[in-house]
């Protein structure tokens, strides 16, 4: 069995040997580059763009301004500003030239006339609606109330009530490879190579507005150096580049520089919660009332993040009375969207801060306080309608509690030596496997090698290896004979992609089902070669056998037999097909859960350091614990970065101050630390291979654990991230 083994990734070698092919590594003769002139004011009325000098610049092939398509929820004037500029970094003009340097030089000759308008950057100021972020538009672009029970009265009935402002700053989903796209025009059609999480979705959204200008669009995912949620939804640059290649009838490439990526890639998180929560003396929570403000930036495509955060807020706890008032507000900033965890890290940070703060207020041990309120039997439907399908919260918490007590003893020893140290524990419920379905094809080739094409589009997770494990087990063949490929709209019918920690469960199960169908095909074909009735045959260990006669034929032999006799007659009673496609989806999302424990020390300058770290998850069946652990390790470090260093900061004029890695703190190898990961396989999903996702879990579990540890180390209540050194000095 390969499933369950810690196999190394099949996909790593090409990257380790420098043979990866990212978009910018691809070269086509005659490729033109584009440079995007972006706004350097955050709010203005655009009156005129004069491009004459730029057009005459040697090497320039064209300039585009005012390009607009109708797409829901994108900024007014998308993909380029036309009459109103809404944020610094918004595209104003596009220069197409023989190379990127020429394009950038020509851009300097463009004259932009505008009248500045007051801008609003702070989401709470925006909520007041005194200054409009978008002219003629209410700043509150989204409003929704989630409510259950009678929270107002339940709060009044509490022995202890807390009232806190909890802030989760905006962050940059900093993938190693910035975004990039290459659109190749040929005979009225486009082949688009992109750094993306979903070629199929990209094809769909490009076709939705360019469909009348081209015959077809094929999207190929180039090797993609990470995405963390940020390369899924449509971007201005996708449309601009594809459009530029249509008008020039040439290949056109756009590659973001790092600083360009930081202002144009949708930022993540950006939520403020004003929370009131109450508890009884015995530690039972009475109610939570939360005003959730989502800092949407200049567009409204991020509202689903507030919905996820609101409905997941009660988390693993029995809280009957809850109300979340959601306000999505416009600000003159880069639009917001998902970043690894997408709404669940925000919900978890808020609820876990509440758990710790309430436990302090009722003077209870924070773990006992959690136990008092934890959901004890699953399935369980939370008051806002989310169904937690399977698992055992209490026993997992007991596991992490054990580590918590041990870390507490270590912290105590450190404190005796005068070192400021603290321990924090978080318990979280995840929501993943966002749907609706995924596809996979399994093809046995003439040489017996197996090609699996999955509709998911991994970009660092390692799903290719795990899917190969699943298929190799099911077909009973060596894993070396199984190749998994993905990321091309022309090689797989329809598909969705990689996001919402769904690839292993949905594409993995689709591959499992496709393999089962292939086994049925193999039996049918074997029947004629073994001169048996198909009912008599069994498929085991890569062979079809007839237990009665003892005759057998391997999958490889069948594949070879149906592809021999070049030029010969059709001799098959059965169609010689040894391939199958399957689609797999589930009725509902999955809800794995886990717990993180951190031991953190703060030195005399206020610099925090993680001394020890433990995480435990229940994601149902774990296909490859090495890959899952890799996800947790990366996620913990990202969660640490978000907790203590990462923040997108704007000045009062709307300039992005953290516009490069010189100003934006992102963890490096120097900030990593020891992480121990454990898993249990209790809460199975309903899929044939009963897995749930792990791709985002650690970014959800980490911030509340490390922030609690910091709070304990310095003895000061902490309610916003990133925690600033001067707060804990
Ligand atoms: N896995 C497993 N057993 C399970 C579940 C998963 O062995 N029961 C393994 C899978 O084989 C895969 C990995 O764990 O190698 C993650 O699988 P899964 O949970 O299905 O998540 P996805 O593959 O769908 O990845 C998406 C997820 C998301 S939503 C973000 S955001 C994120 C993340 O993955 N972005 C990443 N991890 C990332 N890791 C890298 N390197 N780069 C990103 O951009
Ligand atoms: Mo994601």
């Amino acid at each position: 069995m390969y499933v369950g083994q810690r196999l190394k990734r099949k996909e790593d070698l090409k990257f380790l040997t420098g043979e990866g092919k990212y978009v910018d590594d691809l070269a086509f003769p005659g490729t033109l580059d584009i440079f995007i002139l972006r706004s350097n004011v955050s709010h203005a009325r655009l009156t005129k763009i004069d491009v004459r000098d730029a057009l005459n610049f040697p090497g320039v092939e064209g300039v585009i301004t005012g390009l607009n398509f109708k797409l829901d929820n994108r900024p007014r004037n998308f993909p380029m500003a036309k009459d109103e500029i809404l944020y610094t970094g918004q595209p104003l003009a596009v220069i197409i030239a023989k190379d990127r340097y020429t394009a950038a030089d020509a851009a300097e000759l463009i004259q932009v006339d505008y009248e500045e308008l007051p801008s609003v950057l702070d989401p709470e100021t925006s909520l007041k609606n005194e200054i409009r972020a978008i002219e003629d538009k209410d700043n509150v672009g989204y409003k929704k109330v989630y409510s259950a029970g009678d929270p107002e009265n339940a709060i009044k009935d509490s022995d202890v009530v807390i009232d806190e402002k909890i802030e989760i700053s905006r962050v940059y989903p900093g993938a190693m490879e910035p975004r990039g796209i290459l659109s190749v025009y040929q005979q009225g059609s486009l082949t688009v190579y992109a750094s993306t999480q979903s070629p199929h979705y990209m094809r769909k959204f490009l076709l939705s507005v360019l469909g009348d200008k081209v015959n077809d669009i094929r999207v190929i995912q180039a090797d993609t150096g990470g995405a963390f949620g940020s390369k899924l939804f449509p971007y201005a640059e996708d449309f601009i580049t594809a459009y530029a290649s249509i008008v020039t009838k040439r290949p056109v490439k756009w590659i973001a520089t790092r600083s360009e990526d930081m202002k144009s890639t949708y930022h993540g998180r950006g939520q403020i919660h004003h929370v009131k929560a109450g508890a009884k003396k015995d530690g039972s929570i009475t109610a939570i009332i939360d005003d959730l403000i989502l800092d949407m930036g200049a567009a409204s495509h991020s509202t689903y993040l507030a919905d996820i955060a609101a409905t997941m807020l009660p988390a693993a706890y029995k809280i009957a009375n809850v109300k979340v008032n959601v306000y999505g507000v416009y600000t003159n900033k880069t639009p917001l969207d998902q970043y690894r965890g997408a709404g669940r890290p925000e919900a978890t940070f808020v609820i876990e801060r509440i758990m710790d703060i309430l436990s302090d207020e009722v003077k209870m041990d924070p773990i006992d306080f959690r136990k008092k309120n934890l959901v004890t039997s699953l399935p369980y439907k939370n008051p806002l309608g989310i169904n937690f399908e399977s698992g055992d919260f209490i026993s997992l918490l007991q596991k992490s509690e054990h580590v918590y007590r041990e870390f507490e003893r270590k912290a105590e020893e450190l404190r005796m030596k005068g070192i400021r140290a603290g321990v924090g524990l978080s318990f979280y419920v995840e929501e993943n496997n966002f749907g609706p379905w995924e596809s996979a094809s399994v093809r046995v080739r003439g040489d017996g090698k197996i090609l699996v094409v999955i509709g998911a589009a991994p970009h660092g997770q390692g799903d290719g290896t795990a899917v190969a494990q699943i298929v190799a087990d099911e077909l009973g063949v060596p894993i070396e004979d199984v190749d998994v490929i993905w990321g091309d709209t022309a090689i797989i019918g329809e598909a969705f992609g990689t996001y919402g920690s769904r690839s292993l469960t949905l594409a993995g199960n689709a591959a499992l089902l496709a393999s089962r169908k292939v086994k049925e095909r193999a039996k049918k074909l074997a029947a004629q070669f073994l001169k048996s009735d198909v009912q008599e045959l069994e498929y085991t260990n890569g062979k079809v056998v007839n237990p009665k006669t003892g005759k057998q034929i391997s999958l490889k032999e069948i594949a070879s037999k149906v592809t021999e006799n070049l030029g010969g007659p059709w001799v098959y009673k059965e169609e010689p097909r040894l391939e199958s496609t399957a689609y797999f989806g589930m009725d509902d999302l999955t809800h794995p859960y886990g717990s993180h424990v951190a031991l953190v020390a703060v030195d005399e300058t206020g610099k925090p350091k993680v001394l020890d770290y433990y995480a435990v998850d229940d994601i149902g069946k774990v296909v490859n614990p090495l890959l899952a652990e890799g996800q947790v390790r990366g996620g913990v470090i990202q969660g640490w970065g978000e907790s203590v260093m990462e923040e997108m900061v704007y000045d009062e004029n709307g300039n992005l101050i953290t516009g490069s890695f010189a100003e934006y703190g992102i963890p490096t190898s120097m900030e990593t630390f020891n992480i121990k990961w454990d898993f249990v396989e209790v809460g199975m999903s309903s899929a044939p291979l009963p897995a749930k996702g792990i791709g985002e879990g650690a970014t959800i579990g980490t911030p509340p654990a490390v922030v609690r540890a910091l709070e304990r180390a310095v003895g000061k209540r902490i309610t916003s991230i990133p925690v600033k050194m001067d707060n804990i000095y």
Side-chain angles (χ1 to χ4, degrees):
M1 286 287 282
Y2 293 109
V3 169
Q5 280 192 44
R6 296 175 64 93
L7 296 191
K8 287 195 179 152
R9 292 201 284 210
K10 285 167 81 83
E11 46 275 69
D12 281 348
L13 193 63
K14 74 171 172 187
F15 296 116
L16 293 173
T17 52
E19 285 180 36
K21 291 274 175 284
Y22 301 90
V23 184
D24 206 17
D25 295 319
L26 304 176
F28 287 84
T31 298
L32 298 170
D33 280 333
I34 57 180
F35 179 87
I36 301 178
L37 180 73
R38 295 174 186 276
S39 158
N40 53 20
V41 289
S42 58
H43 196 191
R45 206 163 294 138
L46 182 58
T47 47
K48 197 173 148 213
I49 303 185
D50 185 344
V51 302
R52 278 169 304 182
D53 292 346
L55 259 178
N56 292 329
F57 195 78
V60 169
E61 298 279 338
V63 178
I64 305 168
T65 56
L67 183 67
N68 266 208
F69 298 121
K70 192 151 172 36
L71 258 103
D72 288 346
N73 306 326
R74 301 292 133 186
R76 159 182 293 180
N77 300 155
F78 181 82
M80 292 163 70
K82 198 158 115 186
D83 45 36
E84 187 182 358
I85 294 170
L86 296 175
Y87 60 98
T88 54
Q90 188 173 16
L92 301 182
V94 169
I95 303 91
I96 312 167
K98 64 180 171 54
D99 58 58
R100 60 186 78 170
Y101 310 103
T102 305
D105 285 347
E108 298 201 0
L109 303 176
I110 294 179
Q111 297 271 342
V112 182
D113 294 343
Y114 57 84
E115 292 157 25
E116 259 192 270
L117 293 166
S119 48
V120 53
L121 300 151
D122 174 57
E124 290 186 281
T125 311
S126 172
L127 193 58
K128 292 186 199 143
N129 248 322
E130 282 158 9
I131 304 164
R132 291 282 154 98
I134 305 170
E135 283 198 300
D136 321 321
K137 250 196 172 177
D138 199 301
N139 281 351
V140 184
Y142 186 64
K143 223 171 167 170
K144 194 154 181 177
V145 180
Y146 291 93
S147 174
D150 184 359
E152 274 85 9
N153 275 315
I155 283 271
K156 284 188 203 135
D157 236 15
S158 314
D159 295 323
V160 184
V161 176
I162 59 165
D163 191 339
E164 297 286 348
K165 174 177 170 180
I166 300 180
E167 252 181 297
I168 301 146
S169 74
R170 272 187 168 229
V171 294
Y172 165 58
M176 281 231 213
E177 182 206 18
R179 286 182 302 117
I181 179 166
L182 165 63
S183 177
V184 181
Y185 178 93
Q186 196 176 32
Q187 296 291 308
S189 289
L190 297 183
T191 305
V192 170
Y193 299 84
S195 181
T196 177
Q197 299 176 230
S198 176
H200 285 82
Y201 185 55
M202 180 176 269
R203 173 172 184 267
K204 197 171 154 159
F205 67 67
L206 287 178
L207 275 176
S208 76
V209 295
L210 298 172
D212 58 343
K213 297 181 177 58
V214 285
N215 302 325
D216 195 11
I217 300 177
R218 172 183 181 183
V219 180
I220 299 176
Q221 178 194 34
D223 284 333
T224 295
F228 305 107
S230 72
K231 295 176 183 172
L232 177 60
F233 288 117
Y235 278 98
E237 295 83 1
D238 304 333
F239 298 95
I240 288 171
T241 310
Y243 181 79
S245 78
I246 294 172
V247 293
T248 57
K249 297 187 163 48
R250 298 266 292 268
V252 174
K253 189 191 264 188
W254 171 75
I255 304 290
T257 62
R258 180 60 67 184
S259 54
E260 193 178 17
D261 200 53
M262 292 180 84
K263 38 175 122 114
S264 64
T265 292
Y266 303 138
H267 299 165
R269 309 287 192 258
Q271 292 191 8
I272 297 173
H273 294 245
H274 288 276
V275 212
K276 261 199 214 118
K280 294 280 197 190
K281 273 202 206 91
D282 71 352
S284 44
I285 297 181
T286 51
I288 296 182
I289 301 174
D290 180 12
D291 286 341
L292 189 173
I293 305 161
L294 180 76
D295 177 5
M296 302 194 298
S300 64
H301 46 79
S302 57
T303 55
Y304 71 100
L305 297 166
D307 297 328
I308 295 175
T311 52
M312 288 297 284
L313 190 70
Y317 309 107
K318 289 172 281 189
I319 304 171
N321 305 299
V322 49
K323 185 169 184 180
V324 186
N325 301 305
V326 171
Y327 304 91
V329 295
Y330 292 112
T331 51
N332 296 105
K333 296 196 266 198
T334 300
L336 192 79
D337 216 312
Q338 59 177 278
Y339 169 52
R340 197 174 189 179
R344 291 95 82 204
E346 297 90 320
T348 306
F349 185 68
V350 173
I351 186 70
E352 288 298 280
R353 283 288 59 220
I354 293 173
M355 297 309 284
D356 284 327
I357 294 170
L358 269 179
S359 73
D360 289 345
E361 294 293 324
V362 296
K363 301 196 169 45
M364 249 175 103
D365 173 84
I367 317 304
D368 292 342
F369 185 79
R370 282 177 172 77
K371 282 186 186 160
K372 175 89 196 164
N373 292 288
L374 210 61
V375 168
T376 44
S377 109
L378 295 171
Y380 168 87
K381 200 179 201 121
N382 96 352
L384 300 176
I386 309 287
N387 189 46
F388 300 151
E389 64 287 346
S390 61
D392 180 353
F393 292 167
I394 284 280
S395 67
L396 187 127
L397 179 59
Q398 280 162 347
K399 234 177 140 65
S400 62
E401 178 182 8
H402 196 73
V403 177
Y404 177 84
R405 303 286 173 218
E406 181 194 313
F407 282 9
E408 271 290 338
R409 282 191 290 276
K410 286 193 207 164
E412 193 47 46
E413 281 168 26
L414 292 167
R415 287 194 286 258
M416 305 258 276
K417 290 186 203 148
I419 296 167
R420 295 190 295 170
V423 184
L425 173 144
S426 71
F427 190 91
Y428 75 96
V429 192
E430 178 25 346
E431 175 168 69
N432 58 29
N433 276 311
F434 287 88
W437 48 261
E438 202 42 90
S439 60
S441 294
V442 172
R443 303 173 187 164
V444 185
R445 297 152 126 192
D447 62 353
K449 291 261 172 26
I450 290 141
L451 184 71
V452 184
V453 192
I454 53 170
H459 41 276
Q461 292 86 350
D463 296 279
T465 300
V467 170
Q469 290 174 256
I470 296 169
V471 172
D473 276 354
E474 190 61 25
L475 295 180
V477 299
I479 196 163
E480 294 72 31
D481 288 352
V482 182
D483 267 322
V484 181
I485 62 169
W486 59 84
D488 182 342
T489 56
I491 60 171
I492 188 145
E494 276 306 334
F496 284 91
T498 287
Y499 54 91
S501 298
R502 67 196 298 275
S503 305
L504 185 275
T505 309
L506 300 187
N509 274 290
L512 177 73
L513 298 183
S515 305
R516 289 184 181 165
K517 292 197 201 177
V518 163
K519 281 159 60 173
E520 291 310 309
R521 294 295 316 152
K523 283 206 281 191
K524 285 195 172 148
L525 288 163
Q528 58 183 352
F529 299 131
L530 300 179
K531 301 194 172 39
S532 303
D533 240 11
V534 73
Q535 283 82 359
E536 299 172 347
L537 300 178
E538 279 169 18
Y539 189 107
T540 51
N541 291 325
K543 293 186 208 90
V544 179
V545 296
N546 185 331
K548 268 203 234 149
T549 62
K551 281 200 209 156
Q552 59 175 53
I553 182 167
S554 71
L555 184 62
K556 196 170 181 162
E557 286 164 331
I558 302 170
S560 146
K561 266 186 170 315
V562 295
T563 52
E564 67 192 14
N565 291 329
L566 174 71
W570 170 276
V571 293
Y572 316 101
K573 285 196 226 80
E574 266 297 327
E575 181 191 1
R577 171 167 61 90
L578 264 181
E579 61 176 68
S580 263
T581 297
Y583 288 63
F584 180 78
M586 285 186 288
D587 291 343
D588 202 356
L589 302 173
T590 58
H591 300 87
Y593 55 97
S595 179
H596 286 215
V597 191
L599 169 63
V600 178
V602 178
D603 74 13
E604 53 289 344
T605 67
K607 189 173 159 56
K609 194 175 156 85
V610 177
L611 302 180
D612 215 343
Y613 202 95
Y614 173 80
V616 54
D617 285 282
D618 183 0
I619 56 166
K621 182 78 202 153
V622 181
V623 171
N624 183 329
L626 184 66
L627 297 176
E629 183 175 329
Q631 287 297 303
V632 173
R633 285 174 179 277
V636 169
I637 300 302
Q638 274 183 320
W640 173 243
E642 187 186 341
S643 302
V644 299
M645 58 189 102
E646 296 189 39
E647 181 177 18
M648 281 309 220
V649 186
Y650 285 83
D651 71 12
E652 62 278 12
N653 298 318
N655 298 308
L656 184 62
I657 297 176
T658 49
S660 82
F661 279 153
E663 301 88 17
Y664 185 85
I666 197 162
T668 69
S669 58
M670 299 303 289
E671 281 83 29
T672 59
F673 43 82
N674 181 45
I675 299 161
K676 183 177 179 328
W677 184 65
D678 232 347
F679 64 94
V680 296
E681 293 178 315
V682 178
M684 299 296 175
S685 75
S686 63
L689 184 117
K692 301 182 188 178
I694 187 65
E696 296 157 287
T699 50
I700 302 168
T702 304
V706 297
V707 165
R708 173 61 172 181
L710 280 169
E711 177 174 86
R712 294 277 291 137
V714 300
K716 262 192 238 173
R717 185 167 290 177
I718 302 171
T719 52
S720 62
I721 45 173
V723 180
K724 307 271 165 54
M725 271 165 89
D726 21 330
N727 289 348
I728 56 175
Y729 176 69

